[in-house]
């Protein structure tokens, strides 16, 4: 079993930045163990949507068009953490952000995720 714990959410003004972190425990996704970790978000009244993903080596990343160019995902396998740096935040980025992981699949859809964090709220004021 894997536990994912997010941190770093909060209230920020439009144009500001936030750095979300996710700590994984219970099972490692380190070198030699294929896996991906990523972020999804869910705004009120909307479906959970993909934000960004990074593979086990950290050499491959993919972003949703809505955050591309404004966000950077990174991971530290030695610490079992994945981070999402978000810049130039917009009010439409307001949502609960969830950390996601899977030992074999690339987490780009909710169906490809085996493990979820509890979520962290990001609120961007205009």
């Amino acid at each position: 079993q894997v536990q994912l714990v997010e941190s770093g959410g909060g209230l920020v003004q439009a144009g500001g930045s936030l750095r979300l972190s996710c700590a994984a425990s219970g099972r490692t996704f380190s070198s030699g163990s294929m896996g991906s970790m990523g972020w999804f978000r869910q705004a009120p009244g909307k479906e959970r949507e993909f934000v960004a993903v990074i593979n086990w080596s950290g050499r491959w990343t993919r972003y949703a068009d809505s955050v591309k160019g404004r966000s950077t995902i990174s991971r530290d396998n030695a610490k079992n953490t994945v981070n999402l740096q978000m810049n130039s935040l917009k009010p439409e980025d307001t949502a609960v952000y969830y950390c996601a992981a899977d030992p074999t699949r690339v987490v780009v859809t909710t169906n490809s995720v085996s493990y979820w964090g509890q979520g962290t709220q990001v609120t961007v004021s205009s």
Side-chain angles (χ1 to χ4, degrees):
Q1 190 68 305
V2 172
Q3 294 79 43
L4 304 175
V5 179
E6 302 98 333
S7 61
L11 174 64
V12 64
Q13 289 187 334
S17 299
L18 278 178
R19 182 178 176 86
L20 305 183
S21 293
C22 173
S25 62
R27 176 175 174 174
T28 61
F29 292 89
S30 60
S31 176
S33 174
M34 300 295 292
S36 71
M37 297 183 73
W39 293 90
F40 287 70
R41 67 186 183 185
Q42 188 167 19
K46 295 187 177 181
E47 294 186 351
R48 193 170 298 189
E49 63 177 9
F50 166 75
V51 175
V53 61
I54 188 167
N55 75 331
W56 69 273
S57 70
R59 295 193 184 102
W60 181 88
T61 59
R62 180 176 169 183
Y63 299 89
D65 288 343
S66 57
V67 303
K68 194 176 297 182
R70 302 188 292 122
S71 299
T72 302
I73 189 171
S74 60
R75 70 188 289 175
D76 184 338
N77 286 336
K79 298 180 180 179
N80 280 340
T81 59
V82 62
N83 302 303
L84 182 67
Q85 176 69 41
M86 299 189 296
N87 303 319
S88 301
L89 284 163
K90 305 173 182 180
E92 50 263 45
D93 293 318
T94 295
V96 177
Y97 283 71
Y98 295 91
C99 181
D102 193 272
T104 59
R105 294 173 293 191
V106 180
V107 292
V108 291
T109 66
T110 55
N111 290 336
S112 60
V113 177
S114 292
Y115 307 106
W116 292 100
Q118 83 287 352
T120 185
Q121 177 70 47
V122 171
T123 302
V124 184
S125 63
S126 57

